[in-house]
Amino acid sequence: MFKSLVDVLNINLRERNFTNIKLPSELQEHHSEDSEYIIKNYLFQSSQFRKWRITLLNGGDKLQVFNTVAYPSLEIESPILGIDILWFGISKKLLAVFDFQPLIQNKAYLKEYCSDLNLIKTKYSNFDNEKMNKIYDSNKYFSPWVIICRGNKSHLESDLNNVFNDVLKQYFKVNDGIQLNKFLNKSQVKKHHIQYDQYSSEKDPADKLFKKFFGEIWTNNFTKNFLFPLSKE
């Protein structure tokens, strides 16, 4: 369903010389016992990004999910890109979250690396229509300009592709602009990446969903070895 988004992302990754990292077969593609749900995963790396992962969940008319998270190199203090898009086909509801997820909540850091998201929020004000819920602490790994949409088919068809393209373009611009770290040294960057994975593995609301669809054993492997591997450190 989200083929246009995947195509745009793949074009950008190819243009920036990302390498496609081969995953174990059980992580590349996995089916629920009744094959009602199919999950596919992709992993990329480059000199600038230690990890760029993509997950697609196909649940037919019930549920379609596109998730991508980009982790910059441990030598770079820039934020982690987080994008979650869910389409509930039966109810025709869209949930989309875009953010430059900051490593720290320092005001100068946020302004330096995350504030340009506000330009996109302003440009697509009808799309950005929701506040942070209680699942996550908005003071941890979320910027003040996180874009959240609880919408319908009109949001899916009119703005989603444009918001995705603008967020991706701006995120690459932020990373391309970094010459020297201003706020964190390399050991601090690594520490915050580890803490991000630990926090996310504990708070990720999709964990229960994956366990329901694919079982606890596969989901634990998926979480620890693909989604948030630094959570083990």
Side-chain angles (χ1 to χ4, degrees):
M1 176 176 185
F2 298 115
K3 184 179 184 302
S4 61
L5 304 185
V6 176
D7 288 346
V8 167
L9 180 53
N10 280 332
I11 289 171
N12 276 271
L13 297 183
R14 284 198 300 270
E15 289 178 346
R16 292 170 175 271
N17 298 316
F18 276 74
T19 300
N20 190 343
I21 306 301
K22 186 175 177 60
L23 293 169
S25 59
E26 68 272 14
L27 292 178
Q28 284 183 26
E29 181 173 327
H30 191 69
H31 295 228
S32 61
E33 287 189 2
D34 57 7
S35 291
E36 188 173 2
Y37 296 93
I38 302 170
I39 190 168
K40 296 182 180 181
N41 301 293
Y42 307 88
L43 181 64
F44 299 87
Q45 289 179 343
S46 75
S47 59
Q48 198 176 19
F49 291 89
R50 69 176 182 85
K51 177 179 179 179
W52 194 307
R53 59 176 171 82
I54 302 170
T55 292
L56 296 168
L57 175 63
N58 183 353
D61 291 338
K62 291 183 178 179
L63 178 65
Q64 297 286 325
V65 177
F66 170 74
N67 166 260
T68 189
V69 179
Y71 295 80
S73 162
L74 293 177
E75 298 180 350
I76 302 173
E77 66 182 11
S78 58
I80 294 167
L81 174 68
I83 297 176
D84 274 303
I85 304 170
L86 296 86
W87 173 251
F88 303 91
I90 295 175
S91 59
K92 307 297 182 185
K93 297 297 183 183
L94 175 73
L95 172 61
V97 182
F98 300 83
D99 200 15
F100 298 169
Q101 300 189 260
L103 300 184
I104 55 175
Q105 290 291 333
N106 176 286
K107 288 185 178 180
Y109 175 100
L110 292 170
K111 182 178 180 181
E112 179 81 15
Y113 297 123
C114 305
S115 60
D116 283 344
L117 265 179
N118 198 40
L119 300 174
I120 302 173
K121 284 175 71 74
T122 302
K123 183 177 179 181
Y124 301 100
S125 57
N126 290 331
F127 185 88
D128 178 57
N129 57 24
E130 186 63 74
K131 294 182 179 180
M132 183 63 61
N133 62 30
K134 295 181 180 179
I135 294 175
Y136 291 104
D137 181 351
S138 60
N139 293 317
K140 285 187 177 181
Y141 307 115
F142 284 90
S143 78
W145 304 283
V146 56
I147 297 170
I148 306 176
C149 175
R150 287 190 180 274
N152 51 40
K153 192 174 182 180
S154 66
H155 294 90
L156 177 74
E157 294 176 343
S158 61
D159 290 328
L160 179 62
N161 280 27
N162 293 329
V163 172
F164 181 84
N165 291 342
D166 284 5
V167 167
L168 199 61
K169 180 179 179 181
Q170 190 59 47
Y171 184 67
F172 280 124
K173 181 179 177 182
V174 167
N175 283 274
D176 290 344
I178 295 177
Q179 301 298 322
L180 295 171
N181 288 351
K182 299 179 181 179
F183 304 95
L184 300 169
N185 61 38
K186 294 178 183 178
S187 64
Q188 290 172 322
V189 171
K190 182 176 181 180
K191 181 189 75 172
H192 286 293
H193 275 237
I194 292 171
Q195 290 176 344
Y196 173 91
D197 267 18
Q198 290 172 339
Y199 179 80
S200 298
S201 67
E202 294 172 1
K203 294 289 186 177
D204 188 0
D207 182 72
K208 292 182 179 179
L209 200 67
F210 291 136
K211 286 179 179 177
K212 178 181 177 181
F213 296 160
F214 306 113
E216 186 168 356
I217 294 175
W218 183 89
T219 298
N220 288 340
N221 178 45
F222 176 58
T223 301
K224 292 178 181 178
N225 295 307
F226 180 71
L227 293 183
F228 310 113
L230 289 186
S231 65
K232 298 180 291 185
E233 297 198 15

